[in-house]
Amino acid sequence: MHYDFTPKWFLDTMVDIGGFGVSSHFTTQDTIAVGYNWNDKISSTLGYRVLYTDYSKNGFSYEVTQHGIISSLIIHF
């Protein structure tokens, strides 16, 4: 989802869910970020991201949650 508060400020959110036994039991990626349009070509964001993976195969098990602050510089062309 992308929502413009003003012509300069915006909010981006994303939820990605997968797995369901195809390649892993369950995986999700969730992101929320506030952004600023510097001009028509350049914008940047600052936000928070959570990654969760639950995977196991042939005795190997990997269940982990990673999270932290993210930032981006976007060049529109």
Side-chain angles (χ1 to χ4, degrees), residues 41-69:
K41 299 290 183 191
I42 299 174
S43 60
S44 59
T45 65
L46 181 63
Y48 198 77
R49 180 178 181 192
V50 178
L51 299 168
Y52 172 78
T53 302
D54 181 5
Y55 173 83
S56 61
K57 185 173 183 179
N58 299 330
F60 174 77
S61 180
Y62 182 76
E63 182 177 356
V64 68
T65 301
Q66 301 172 347
H67 54 91
I69 296 172

PDB file of all heavy atoms in Angstrom, residues 41-69:
ATOM      1  N   LYS A  41      12.219  13.192  -9.071  1.00  0.00           N
ATOM      2  CA  LYS A  41      13.084  12.057  -9.400  1.00  0.00           C
ATOM      3  C   LYS A  41      13.648  11.306  -8.195  1.00  0.00           C
ATOM      4  O   LYS A  41      14.066  10.168  -8.326  1.00  0.00           O
ATOM      5  CB  LYS A  41      14.269  12.533 -10.257  1.00  0.00           C
ATOM      6  CG  LYS A  41      13.862  13.145 -11.573  1.00  0.00           C
ATOM      7  CD  LYS A  41      13.331  12.090 -12.496  1.00  0.00           C
ATOM      8  CE  LYS A  41      12.976  12.697 -13.852  1.00  0.00           C
ATOM      9  NZ  LYS A  41      12.225  11.783 -14.664  1.00  0.00           N
ATOM     10  N   ILE A  42      13.698  11.929  -7.014  1.00  0.00           N
ATOM     11  CA  ILE A  42      14.356  11.315  -5.860  1.00  0.00           C
ATOM     12  C   ILE A  42      13.433  11.342  -4.638  1.00  0.00           C
ATOM     13  O   ILE A  42      12.832  12.358  -4.324  1.00  0.00           O
ATOM     14  CB  ILE A  42      15.674  12.036  -5.526  1.00  0.00           C
ATOM     15  CG1 ILE A  42      16.642  11.950  -6.705  1.00  0.00           C
ATOM     16  CG2 ILE A  42      16.315  11.462  -4.266  1.00  0.00           C
ATOM     17  CD1 ILE A  42      17.901  12.750  -6.538  1.00  0.00           C
ATOM     18  N   SER A  43      13.346  10.186  -3.964  1.00  0.00           N
ATOM     19  CA  SER A  43      12.631  10.097  -2.693  1.00  0.00           C
ATOM     20  C   SER A  43      13.413   9.173  -1.768  1.00  0.00           C
ATOM     21  O   SER A  43      14.301   8.437  -2.203  1.00  0.00           O
ATOM     22  CB  SER A  43      11.196   9.612  -2.895  1.00  0.00           C
ATOM     23  OG  SER A  43      11.175   8.345  -3.487  1.00  0.00           O
ATOM     24  N   SER A  44      13.074   9.201  -0.495  1.00  0.00           N
ATOM     25  CA  SER A  44      13.732   8.328   0.474  1.00  0.00           C
ATOM     26  C   SER A  44      12.711   7.879   1.513  1.00  0.00           C
ATOM     27  O   SER A  44      11.677   8.515   1.696  1.00  0.00           O
ATOM     28  CB  SER A  44      14.913   9.035   1.134  1.00  0.00           C
ATOM     29  OG  SER A  44      14.480  10.193   1.790  1.00  0.00           O
ATOM     30  N   THR A  45      13.021   6.761   2.190  1.00  0.00           N
ATOM     31  CA  THR A  45      12.132   6.239   3.220  1.00  0.00           C
ATOM     32  C   THR A  45      12.941   5.832   4.451  1.00  0.00           C
ATOM     33  O   THR A  45      14.132   5.537   4.367  1.00  0.00           O
ATOM     34  CB  THR A  45      11.328   5.010   2.745  1.00  0.00           C
ATOM     35  OG1 THR A  45      12.220   3.938   2.480  1.00  0.00           O
ATOM     36  CG2 THR A  45      10.484   5.328   1.538  1.00  0.00           C
ATOM     37  N   LEU A  46      12.256   5.774   5.574  1.00  0.00           N
ATOM     38  CA  LEU A  46      12.795   5.252   6.820  1.00  0.00           C
ATOM     39  C   LEU A  46      11.686   4.437   7.459  1.00  0.00           C
ATOM     40  O   LEU A  46      10.555   4.923   7.599  1.00  0.00           O
ATOM     41  CB  LEU A  46      13.229   6.386   7.750  1.00  0.00           C
ATOM     42  CG  LEU A  46      13.830   5.966   9.084  1.00  0.00           C
ATOM     43  CD1 LEU A  46      15.132   5.187   8.863  1.00  0.00           C
ATOM     44  CD2 LEU A  46      14.067   7.176   9.958  1.00  0.00           C
ATOM     45  N   GLY A  47      11.990   3.181   7.816  1.00  0.00           N
ATOM     46  CA  GLY A  47      10.936   2.331   8.346  1.00  0.00           C
ATOM     47  C   GLY A  47      11.442   1.164   9.155  1.00  0.00           C
ATOM     48  O   GLY A  47      12.589   1.143   9.613  1.00  0.00           O
ATOM     49  N   TYR A  48      10.590   0.156   9.278  1.00  0.00           N
ATOM     50  CA  TYR A  48      10.867  -1.028  10.083  1.00  0.00           C
ATOM     51  C   TYR A  48      10.420  -2.266   9.312  1.00  0.00           C
ATOM     52  O   TYR A  48       9.369  -2.256   8.658  1.00  0.00           O
ATOM     53  CB  TYR A  48      10.112  -0.946  11.417  1.00  0.00           C
ATOM     54  CG  TYR A  48      10.649  -1.868  12.468  1.00  0.00           C
ATOM     55  CD1 TYR A  48      11.814  -1.551  13.155  1.00  0.00           C
ATOM     56  CD2 TYR A  48      10.002  -3.054  12.768  1.00  0.00           C
ATOM     57  CE1 TYR A  48      12.313  -2.402  14.133  1.00  0.00           C
ATOM     58  CE2 TYR A  48      10.492  -3.906  13.742  1.00  0.00           C
ATOM     59  CZ  TYR A  48      11.650  -3.578  14.418  1.00  0.00           C
ATOM     60  OH  TYR A  48      12.142  -4.414  15.378  1.00  0.00           O
ATOM     61  N   ARG A  49      11.222  -3.338   9.396  1.00  0.00           N
ATOM     62  CA  ARG A  49      10.927  -4.557   8.635  1.00  0.00           C
ATOM     63  C   ARG A  49      11.083  -5.774   9.535  1.00  0.00           C
ATOM     64  O   ARG A  49      12.015  -5.856  10.338  1.00  0.00           O
ATOM     65  CB  ARG A  49      11.886  -4.667   7.464  1.00  0.00           C
ATOM     66  CG  ARG A  49      11.696  -5.865   6.599  1.00  0.00           C
ATOM     67  CD  ARG A  49      12.694  -5.797   5.463  1.00  0.00           C
ATOM     68  NE  ARG A  49      12.561  -6.925   4.561  1.00  0.00           N
ATOM     69  CZ  ARG A  49      13.446  -7.227   3.641  1.00  0.00           C
ATOM     70  NH1 ARG A  49      14.514  -6.472   3.485  1.00  0.00           N
ATOM     71  NH2 ARG A  49      13.264  -8.249   2.857  1.00  0.00           N
ATOM     72  N   VAL A  50      10.163  -6.739   9.377  1.00  0.00           N
ATOM     73  CA  VAL A  50      10.208  -8.003  10.109  1.00  0.00           C
ATOM     74  C   VAL A  50      10.194  -9.143   9.097  1.00  0.00           C
ATOM     75  O   VAL A  50       9.334  -9.169   8.201  1.00  0.00           O
ATOM     76  CB  VAL A  50       9.014  -8.153  11.075  1.00  0.00           C
ATOM     77  CG1 VAL A  50       9.062  -9.500  11.775  1.00  0.00           C
ATOM     78  CG2 VAL A  50       8.970  -7.023  12.075  1.00  0.00           C
ATOM     79  N   LEU A  51      11.149 -10.073   9.219  1.00  0.00           N
ATOM     80  CA  LEU A  51      11.201 -11.278   8.386  1.00  0.00           C
ATOM     81  C   LEU A  51      11.083 -12.494   9.294  1.00  0.00           C
ATOM     82  O   LEU A  51      11.805 -12.595  10.293  1.00  0.00           O
ATOM     83  CB  LEU A  51      12.536 -11.372   7.638  1.00  0.00           C
ATOM     84  CG  LEU A  51      12.875 -10.270   6.677  1.00  0.00           C
ATOM     85  CD1 LEU A  51      14.337 -10.365   6.264  1.00  0.00           C
ATOM     86  CD2 LEU A  51      11.990 -10.368   5.462  1.00  0.00           C
ATOM     87  N   TYR A  52      10.195 -13.422   8.955  1.00  0.00           N
ATOM     88  CA  TYR A  52      10.034 -14.649   9.730  1.00  0.00           C
ATOM     89  C   TYR A  52      10.062 -15.829   8.765  1.00  0.00           C
ATOM     90  O   TYR A  52       9.401 -15.808   7.725  1.00  0.00           O
ATOM     91  CB  TYR A  52       8.715 -14.655  10.504  1.00  0.00           C
ATOM     92  CG  TYR A  52       8.438 -15.990  11.147  1.00  0.00           C
ATOM     93  CD1 TYR A  52       9.086 -16.368  12.313  1.00  0.00           C
ATOM     94  CD2 TYR A  52       7.546 -16.884  10.569  1.00  0.00           C
ATOM     95  CE1 TYR A  52       8.854 -17.602  12.898  1.00  0.00           C
ATOM     96  CE2 TYR A  52       7.303 -18.120  11.143  1.00  0.00           C
ATOM     97  CZ  TYR A  52       7.951 -18.480  12.308  1.00  0.00           C
ATOM     98  OH  TYR A  52       7.732 -19.697  12.867  1.00  0.00           O
ATOM     99  N   THR A  53      10.849 -16.856   9.120  1.00  0.00           N
ATOM    100  CA  THR A  53      10.942 -18.060   8.293  1.00  0.00           C
ATOM    101  C   THR A  53      10.858 -19.290   9.182  1.00  0.00           C
ATOM    102  O   THR A  53      11.535 -19.359  10.211  1.00  0.00           O
ATOM    103  CB  THR A  53      12.266 -18.094   7.507  1.00  0.00           C
ATOM    104  OG1 THR A  53      12.348 -16.939   6.700  1.00  0.00           O
ATOM    105  CG2 THR A  53      12.354 -19.328   6.631  1.00  0.00           C
ATOM    106  N   ASP A  54      10.050 -20.252   8.774  1.00  0.00           N
ATOM    107  CA  ASP A  54       9.943 -21.548   9.438  1.00  0.00           C
ATOM    108  C   ASP A  54      10.171 -22.605   8.361  1.00  0.00           C
ATOM    109  O   ASP A  54       9.299 -22.855   7.526  1.00  0.00           O
ATOM    110  CB  ASP A  54       8.565 -21.711  10.084  1.00  0.00           C
ATOM    111  CG  ASP A  54       8.417 -23.033  10.807  1.00  0.00           C
ATOM    112  OD1 ASP A  54       9.407 -23.793  10.890  1.00  0.00           O
ATOM    113  OD2 ASP A  54       7.309 -23.316  11.277  1.00  0.00           O
ATOM    114  N   TYR A  55      11.370 -23.219   8.365  1.00  0.00           N
ATOM    115  CA  TYR A  55      11.758 -24.163   7.326  1.00  0.00           C
ATOM    116  C   TYR A  55      12.397 -25.386   7.966  1.00  0.00           C
ATOM    117  O   TYR A  55      13.184 -25.263   8.910  1.00  0.00           O
ATOM    118  CB  TYR A  55      12.770 -23.504   6.376  1.00  0.00           C
ATOM    119  CG  TYR A  55      13.364 -24.434   5.362  1.00  0.00           C
ATOM    120  CD1 TYR A  55      12.693 -24.727   4.181  1.00  0.00           C
ATOM    121  CD2 TYR A  55      14.602 -25.031   5.579  1.00  0.00           C
ATOM    122  CE1 TYR A  55      13.238 -25.589   3.244  1.00  0.00           C
ATOM    123  CE2 TYR A  55      15.157 -25.893   4.647  1.00  0.00           C
ATOM    124  CZ  TYR A  55      14.470 -26.169   3.487  1.00  0.00           C
ATOM    125  OH  TYR A  55      15.003 -27.026   2.553  1.00  0.00           O
ATOM    126  N   SER A  56      12.071 -26.553   7.459  1.00  0.00           N
ATOM    127  CA  SER A  56      12.758 -27.766   7.898  1.00  0.00           C
ATOM    128  C   SER A  56      12.729 -28.791   6.774  1.00  0.00           C
ATOM    129  O   SER A  56      11.738 -28.911   6.043  1.00  0.00           O
ATOM    130  CB  SER A  56      12.122 -28.349   9.164  1.00  0.00           C
ATOM    131  OG  SER A  56      10.783 -28.699   8.926  1.00  0.00           O
ATOM    132  N   LYS A  57      13.867 -29.497   6.621  1.00  0.00           N
ATOM    133  CA  LYS A  57      13.970 -30.534   5.589  1.00  0.00           C
ATOM    134  C   LYS A  57      15.143 -31.441   5.934  1.00  0.00           C
ATOM    135  O   LYS A  57      16.225 -30.970   6.272  1.00  0.00           O
ATOM    136  CB  LYS A  57      14.188 -29.909   4.214  1.00  0.00           C
ATOM    137  CG  LYS A  57      14.194 -30.905   3.087  1.00  0.00           C
ATOM    138  CD  LYS A  57      14.252 -30.215   1.741  1.00  0.00           C
ATOM    139  CE  LYS A  57      14.172 -31.233   0.626  1.00  0.00           C
ATOM    140  NZ  LYS A  57      14.209 -30.617  -0.683  1.00  0.00           N
ATOM    141  N   ASN A  58      14.920 -32.763   5.852  1.00  0.00           N
ATOM    142  CA  ASN A  58      15.957 -33.768   6.076  1.00  0.00           C
ATOM    143  C   ASN A  58      16.714 -33.560   7.396  1.00  0.00           C
ATOM    144  O   ASN A  58      17.935 -33.626   7.445  1.00  0.00           O
ATOM    145  CB  ASN A  58      16.951 -33.785   4.908  1.00  0.00           C
ATOM    146  CG  ASN A  58      16.294 -34.142   3.598  1.00  0.00           C
ATOM    147  OD1 ASN A  58      15.315 -34.883   3.565  1.00  0.00           O
ATOM    148  ND2 ASN A  58      16.819 -33.611   2.513  1.00  0.00           N
ATOM    149  N   GLY A  59      15.996 -33.256   8.459  1.00  0.00           N
ATOM    150  CA  GLY A  59      16.606 -33.080   9.763  1.00  0.00           C
ATOM    151  C   GLY A  59      17.145 -31.684  10.040  1.00  0.00           C
ATOM    152  O   GLY A  59      17.553 -31.387  11.153  1.00  0.00           O
ATOM    153  N   PHE A  60      17.186 -30.824   9.022  1.00  0.00           N
ATOM    154  CA  PHE A  60      17.625 -29.441   9.210  1.00  0.00           C
ATOM    155  C   PHE A  60      16.416 -28.589   9.533  1.00  0.00           C
ATOM    156  O   PHE A  60      15.391 -28.663   8.857  1.00  0.00           O
ATOM    157  CB  PHE A  60      18.296 -28.921   7.931  1.00  0.00           C
ATOM    158  CG  PHE A  60      18.639 -27.460   7.993  1.00  0.00           C
ATOM    159  CD1 PHE A  60      19.740 -27.023   8.700  1.00  0.00           C
ATOM    160  CD2 PHE A  60      17.844 -26.517   7.354  1.00  0.00           C
ATOM    161  CE1 PHE A  60      20.059 -25.685   8.763  1.00  0.00           C
ATOM    162  CE2 PHE A  60      18.157 -25.164   7.408  1.00  0.00           C
ATOM    163  CZ  PHE A  60      19.273 -24.747   8.116  1.00  0.00           C
ATOM    164  N   SER A  61      16.514 -27.783  10.575  1.00  0.00           N
ATOM    165  CA  SER A  61      15.406 -26.928  10.986  1.00  0.00           C
ATOM    166  C   SER A  61      15.898 -25.490  11.109  1.00  0.00           C
ATOM    167  O   SER A  61      16.966 -25.240  11.683  1.00  0.00           O
ATOM    168  CB  SER A  61      14.850 -27.407  12.327  1.00  0.00           C
ATOM    169  OG  SER A  61      13.778 -26.590  12.724  1.00  0.00           O
ATOM    170  N   TYR A  62      15.130 -24.567  10.553  1.00  0.00           N
ATOM    171  CA  TYR A  62      15.486 -23.143  10.581  1.00  0.00           C
ATOM    172  C   TYR A  62      14.213 -22.361  10.863  1.00  0.00           C
ATOM    173  O   TYR A  62      13.330 -22.266  10.018  1.00  0.00           O
ATOM    174  CB  TYR A  62      16.076 -22.746   9.224  1.00  0.00           C
ATOM    175  CG  TYR A  62      16.523 -21.317   9.111  1.00  0.00           C
ATOM    176  CD1 TYR A  62      17.699 -20.880   9.689  1.00  0.00           C
ATOM    177  CD2 TYR A  62      15.771 -20.389   8.407  1.00  0.00           C
ATOM    178  CE1 TYR A  62      18.133 -19.576   9.577  1.00  0.00           C
ATOM    179  CE2 TYR A  62      16.178 -19.075   8.285  1.00  0.00           C
ATOM    180  CZ  TYR A  62      17.362 -18.677   8.867  1.00  0.00           C
ATOM    181  OH  TYR A  62      17.776 -17.381   8.742  1.00  0.00           O
ATOM    182  N   GLU A  63      14.092 -21.861  12.078  1.00  0.00           N
ATOM    183  CA  GLU A  63      12.952 -21.027  12.454  1.00  0.00           C
ATOM    184  C   GLU A  63      13.508 -19.766  13.103  1.00  0.00           C
ATOM    185  O   GLU A  63      14.066 -19.811  14.198  1.00  0.00           O
ATOM    186  CB  GLU A  63      12.022 -21.754  13.421  1.00  0.00           C
ATOM    187  CG  GLU A  63      10.815 -20.929  13.769  1.00  0.00           C
ATOM    188  CD  GLU A  63       9.832 -21.665  14.671  1.00  0.00           C
ATOM    189  OE1 GLU A  63      10.042 -22.847  14.971  1.00  0.00           O
ATOM    190  OE2 GLU A  63       8.845 -21.038  15.062  1.00  0.00           O
ATOM    191  N   VAL A  64      13.395 -18.635  12.401  1.00  0.00           N
ATOM    192  CA  VAL A  64      14.038 -17.419  12.866  1.00  0.00           C
ATOM    193  C   VAL A  64      13.194 -16.201  12.530  1.00  0.00           C
ATOM    194  O   VAL A  64      12.477 -16.186  11.533  1.00  0.00           O
ATOM    195  CB  VAL A  64      15.461 -17.285  12.267  1.00  0.00           C
ATOM    196  CG1 VAL A  64      15.409 -17.049  10.787  1.00  0.00           C
ATOM    197  CG2 VAL A  64      16.260 -16.212  12.949  1.00  0.00           C
ATOM    198  N   THR A  65      13.267 -15.196  13.394  1.00  0.00           N
ATOM    199  CA  THR A  65      12.660 -13.891  13.149  1.00  0.00           C
ATOM    200  C   THR A  65      13.771 -12.857  13.153  1.00  0.00           C
ATOM    201  O   THR A  65      14.557 -12.801  14.097  1.00  0.00           O
ATOM    202  CB  THR A  65      11.630 -13.539  14.232  1.00  0.00           C
ATOM    203  OG1 THR A  65      10.615 -14.546  14.256  1.00  0.00           O
ATOM    204  CG2 THR A  65      10.994 -12.187  13.962  1.00  0.00           C
ATOM    205  N   GLN A  66      13.838 -12.082  12.089  1.00  0.00           N
ATOM    206  CA  GLN A  66      14.804 -10.985  11.992  1.00  0.00           C
ATOM    207  C   GLN A  66      14.023  -9.699  11.843  1.00  0.00           C
ATOM    208  O   GLN A  66      13.019  -9.655  11.139  1.00  0.00           O
ATOM    209  CB  GLN A  66      15.719 -11.181  10.791  1.00  0.00           C
ATOM    210  CG  GLN A  66      16.501 -12.461  10.825  1.00  0.00           C
ATOM    211  CD  GLN A  66      17.256 -12.699   9.530  1.00  0.00           C
ATOM    212  OE1 GLN A  66      17.028 -12.049   8.526  1.00  0.00           O
ATOM    213  NE2 GLN A  66      18.169 -13.652   9.568  1.00  0.00           N
ATOM    214  N   HIS A  67      14.485  -8.637  12.491  1.00  0.00           N
ATOM    215  CA  HIS A  67      13.761  -7.372  12.388  1.00  0.00           C
ATOM    216  C   HIS A  67      14.723  -6.219  12.623  1.00  0.00           C
ATOM    217  O   HIS A  67      15.782  -6.385  13.240  1.00  0.00           O
ATOM    218  CB  HIS A  67      12.596  -7.316  13.385  1.00  0.00           C
ATOM    219  CG  HIS A  67      12.990  -7.587  14.792  1.00  0.00           C
ATOM    220  ND1 HIS A  67      13.362  -6.598  15.662  1.00  0.00           N
ATOM    221  CD2 HIS A  67      13.099  -8.751  15.479  1.00  0.00           C
ATOM    222  CE1 HIS A  67      13.654  -7.135  16.833  1.00  0.00           C
ATOM    223  NE2 HIS A  67      13.513  -8.449  16.750  1.00  0.00           N
ATOM    224  N   GLY A  68      14.350  -5.064  12.093  1.00  0.00           N
ATOM    225  CA  GLY A  68      15.177  -3.893  12.306  1.00  0.00           C
ATOM    226  C   GLY A  68      14.764  -2.730  11.435  1.00  0.00           C
ATOM    227  O   GLY A  68      13.827  -2.801  10.633  1.00  0.00           O
ATOM    228  N   ILE A  69      15.506  -1.648  11.595  1.00  0.00           N
ATOM    229  CA  ILE A  69      15.244  -0.406  10.871  1.00  0.00           C
ATOM    230  C   ILE A  69      15.760  -0.530   9.436  1.00  0.00           C
ATOM    231  O   ILE A  69      16.818  -1.127   9.201  1.00  0.00           O
ATOM    232  CB  ILE A  69      15.936   0.766  11.589  1.00  0.00           C
ATOM    233  CG1 ILE A  69      15.312   0.951  12.969  1.00  0.00           C
ATOM    234  CG2 ILE A  69      15.848   2.045  10.774  1.00  0.00           C
ATOM    235  CD1 ILE A  69      16.045   1.940  13.844  1.00  0.00           C
TER     236      ILE A  69
END
